[in-house]
Each structure stands twice: as C-alpha cells, then as structure tokens.
C-alpha cells in the first residue's frame, strides 16, 4: 500500500517504522528518498527544511519527539494525536508559545471548538462543551458490560476509526483524554470543560460565552472536514466529504454521561487535576489495558480498573523533560501489564481469546 501511495503522490521524503520495512519497500523497486526508521525517521521528516505544516496523525507515543522538534523548527502543527498533549501537554504548549508556533487541532471536537472560538480570548469564554457519541454501549447496563467482547466494542455507531480509539470511545476514555487535550489547547480548567452525550455526532463542539451566546459547530461525522480545515487554515479549502442534511438527520438528542458505568471520564479528570506526570500514567495504563482487552485477556470493565489501580500505585511528580515523560511511560506500562495479568487470572472467561 505504501509503495502504491509513493508512486501516486511522489513524496520528497519517506519514513518507515523499521529497517525491515525499508528493506521491503526497496525490494518493490521504490526509489524514494528514505529519511530513516522509527522515531528518527519521524523527526527527520517533521523537521525537514521544506516542511511548512506537520500533520501528526500517528497513534501512541512515537510522534512526541518529532512534534517537539518540529516546533523548535517553527513548523505549524496540525495535531490529530491525543497522546502528544495527554502525555506531555505542558512541555508541548510551552515550546509552542516560546517559538510562536500554532497548534491546530484536527481531533473533530477540538477542531470544532477552534472554529467556534475564532480567535476570541479565553476571558470571554464561560465553558467549552465536547460532544460524545456514547459509543456502542451507551444503553447497556453495568451487568451487560461485564460480558461484552472486543468485537462488540469495535462496532462504533457513527465513526470509522482505528481499533484503539474505537475501544476508547466505548469506555469514554476517549472523551477523558479530550478533556485533557482541551485544557492544554484552550487554557481552561477541567471544571469549565463539559462533556455531553450526543449519539448523532452532528454537533462536534460548543462554546458558551459570558454573554449567554452559544456557538456550535455542526457537520457530518467525516474526518476529512477537520483535516481540510487544518490544512487550509487560516483560510478554507474545499474537500470531497458528504454534506450535512439536517432534514435527513431529523432529531438531535443529548444526555449526560453515566459516571458509574463509564468511570474512565472521572479518572481522566482526576489525572488532570493531579497534574505533572499523572496524565502520562493514565495514557500508558489505558493503552496497555486496551491492548489486553483487544487480545481477550481481560474484560471490558477491567480496562478502567487497570487504569485506576495503576494511577493509585504509581504517584508521580512534575514533568521537566522528554526523558522524564518516556521514563514514566515505561514504568506505567510495565505496572499496568502486571495489574492486567492479575485481573486476567481473576477473570478466566476473558482469557479465552478475542471474541
């Protein structure tokens, strides 16, 4: 697939995940310039002198170093990766302010809020509202959630996304990570960032101002819209997405998230309140637990249980460097893996493999 994309788009520079992947690409006769493999390759591409804007859409932690290096080279950052700000939001935003770099959110909810704010000052804003579809288990009882499988969780009602983010949507951890992300992007405390369940996924974000006005961004659930906005900013560029038909939608409904059935949102807010490296622990533990759930080693409710146990067992202080971020990330993943294994032994039905 990458070979076909290179042939079609003729990129000036290419990076791959590993040396083995580079060899496989070469064996296909691809004659592109290779920047490198892994994190080094990402840094080389993101910091290249000819780059104007870096669209970071990778999953996980691999792009953090590349984003920071791109900021130091004063590249505009279009950010679709939640982990960059959840793990190291303070470091990233401090660097961006120091270098005068714009961080453009591509995550649909934050992109919507960015459009609704349209350069307004934080002092004018009363609150931000992030919408959540509620995922595939919105109407499942706590008892039913004990028996859902990864296959069930991957059936998202409105969005087509990767496996990890789809599971995060099912637990509502995705929305918890977005609260942390919004805190860093828009410089507002957690108590002024609300989450509302909106199953139709038509309204992506709202901003309430102190005069009582509420601005909302509406659009079809299509990631091409925020991508086009980020790439065209400060103007707008046309993109081939479906158009919103409100008559066809018919109704827009809203509700509050249930903290009892979906504790992940509470855990994310608590991690943000504690600050320092605690959100880094949250993110690492969640990724580890989600991976264990997808492999069928733990149950659905064990994801949040693993995250909470990891947060309780691994208190951390402030973050001062990228090395500290990676150190905490490694410690949290190792601890979460141990805790998940303990839960797996207590839940033999979950250890039969993915359903």
């Amino acid at each position: 697939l990458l070979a076909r994309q290179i042939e079609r788009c003729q990129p000036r520079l290419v990076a791959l995940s590993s040396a083995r992947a580079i060899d496989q690409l070469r064996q296909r006769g691809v004659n592109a310039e290779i920047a490198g493999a892994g994190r080094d390759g990402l840094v080389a591409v993101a910091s290249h002198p000819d780059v104007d804007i870096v669209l970071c859409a990778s999953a996980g932690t691999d792009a953090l170093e590349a984003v920071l290096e791109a900021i130091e080279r004063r590249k505009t950052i279009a950010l679709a990766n939640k982990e960059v700000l959840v793990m190291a939001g303070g470091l990233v935003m401090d660097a961006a302010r120091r270098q005068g770099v714009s961080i453009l959110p591509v995550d649909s909810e934050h992109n919507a809020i960015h459009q609704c704010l349209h350069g307004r000052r934080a002092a004018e804003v009363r609150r931000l509202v992030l919408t959540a579809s509620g995922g595939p288990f919105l109407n499942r009882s706590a008892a039913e959630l004990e028996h859902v499988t990864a296959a069930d969780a991957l059936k998202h009602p409105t969005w087509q996304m990767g496996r990890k983010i789809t599971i995060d949507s099912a637990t509502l951890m995705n929305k918890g990570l977005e609260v942390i992300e919004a805190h860093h992007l828009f410089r507002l405390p957690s108590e002024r960032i609300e989450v509302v369940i909106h199953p139709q996924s038509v309204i992506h974000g709202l901003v309430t101002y102190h005069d009582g006005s509420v601005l909302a961004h509406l659009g079809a659930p299509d990631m091409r819209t925020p991508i086009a906005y980020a790439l065209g900013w400060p103007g707008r560029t046309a993109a081939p997405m479906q158009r919103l038909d409100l008559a066809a939608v018919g109704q827009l409904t809203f509700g509050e998230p249930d903290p009892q059935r979906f504790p992940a949102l509470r855990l994310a807010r608590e991690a943000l309140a504690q600050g320092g490296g605690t959100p880094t622990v949250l993110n690492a533990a969640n990724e580890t637990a989600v991976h264990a759930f997808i492999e069928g080693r733990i149950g659905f409710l064990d994801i949040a249980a693993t995250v909470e146990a990891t947060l309780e067992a691994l208190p951390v202080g402030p973050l001062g460097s990228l090395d500290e971020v990676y150190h905490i990330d490694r410690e949290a993943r190792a601890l979460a893996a141990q805790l998940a294994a303990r839960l797996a032994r207590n839940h033999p039905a979950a250890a039969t493999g993915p359903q």
Side-chain angles (χ1 to χ4, degrees):
L1 175 61
L2 180 60
R4 292 198 302 271
Q5 290 172 339
I6 291 172
E7 183 179 355
R8 176 183 177 187
C9 300
Q10 295 293 304
R12 198 173 306 176
L13 203 60
V14 177
L16 292 95
S17 60
S18 66
R20 180 172 175 270
I22 293 175
D23 292 340
Q24 290 177 325
L25 193 66
R26 291 297 191 204
Q27 290 169 10
R28 292 183 176 274
V30 174
N31 195 30
E33 181 179 350
I34 306 296
R39 289 177 179 171
D40 291 341
L42 290 177
V43 169
V45 170
S47 61
H48 192 277
D50 293 344
V51 167
D52 299 308
I53 180 169
V54 175
L55 174 58
C56 176
S58 64
T61 62
D62 288 342
L64 178 55
E65 191 174 350
V67 168
L68 285 169
E69 186 62 29
I71 289 172
E72 292 302 321
R73 304 295 181 92
R74 298 187 175 178
K75 317 292 188 184
T76 298
I77 307 296
L79 194 59
N81 174 302
K82 291 179 176 61
E83 291 86 354
V84 165
L85 291 184
V86 173
M87 289 181 62
L91 295 177
V92 171
M93 298 308 295
D94 286 348
R97 284 188 282 270
R98 186 175 64 251
Q99 295 294 349
V101 167
S102 295
I103 306 288
L104 304 176
V106 178
D107 209 346
S108 61
E109 293 81 3
H110 304 87
N111 185 272
I113 288 171
H114 189 274
Q115 296 191 49
C116 291
L117 287 171
H118 199 64
R120 309 304 301 184
R121 294 179 296 111
E124 299 176 281
V125 176
R126 183 178 180 86
R127 63 174 181 164
L128 308 178
V129 181
L130 303 171
T131 58
S133 70
F137 305 143
L138 177 60
N139 298 312
R140 300 281 187 101
S141 67
E144 290 174 317
L145 291 177
E146 292 183 5
H147 306 290
V148 298
T149 66
D152 297 327
L154 290 170
K155 296 174 183 176
H156 197 280
T158 54
W159 292 96
Q160 296 296 319
M161 306 178 291
R163 289 159 66 86
K164 192 265 181 183
I165 192 173
T166 303
I167 302 297
D168 282 347
S169 178
T171 63
L172 288 193
M173 178 61 82
N174 189 47
K175 216 50 52 177
L177 300 179
E178 287 177 6
V179 169
I180 298 173
E181 193 178 0
H183 161 74
H184 289 295
L185 284 169
F186 307 116
R187 305 180 76 174
L188 287 175
S190 173
E191 57 268 22
R192 290 170 63 187
I193 304 169
E194 296 187 11
V195 173
V196 64
I197 301 296
H198 171 49
Q200 294 81 18
S201 298
V202 169
I203 297 179
H204 303 297
L206 307 95
V207 177
T208 299
Y209 289 94
H210 283 299
D211 63 1
S213 299
V214 181
L215 299 187
H217 174 279
L218 286 73
D222 189 328
M223 281 304 299
R224 289 176 292 185
T225 300
I227 292 170
Y229 174 80
L231 294 180
W233 185 85
R236 290 184 183 267
T237 186
M241 73 283 293
Q242 68 183 96
R243 304 302 171 183
L244 178 63
D245 184 344
L246 287 175
V249 173
Q251 291 184 332
L252 302 178
T253 59
F254 307 91
E256 293 185 2
D258 184 344
Q260 301 302 318
R261 288 185 297 136
F262 303 101
L265 184 56
R266 168 183 59 82
L267 295 175
R269 287 192 185 276
E270 290 174 357
L272 177 58
Q274 291 179 34
T278 308
T280 308
V281 175
L282 173 92
N283 178 73
N286 179 64
E287 285 192 15
T288 303
V290 167
H291 182 67
F293 172 65
I294 290 174
E295 291 191 340
R297 292 186 279 113
I298 63 173
F300 180 76
L301 297 179
D302 294 333
I303 298 174
T306 298
V307 174
E308 187 162 24
T310 306
L311 288 168
E312 291 174 353
L314 188 61
V316 292
L319 290 176
S321 68
L322 190 57
D323 287 341
E324 289 178 4
V325 173
Y326 286 136
H327 174 71
I328 292 172
D329 179 72
R330 287 191 299 269
E331 280 199 331
R333 288 176 191 277
L335 179 57
Q338 294 175 13
L339 294 169
R342 193 177 304 164
L343 287 170
R345 289 194 295 273
N346 294 333
H347 295 78
T352 59
Q355 303 295 311

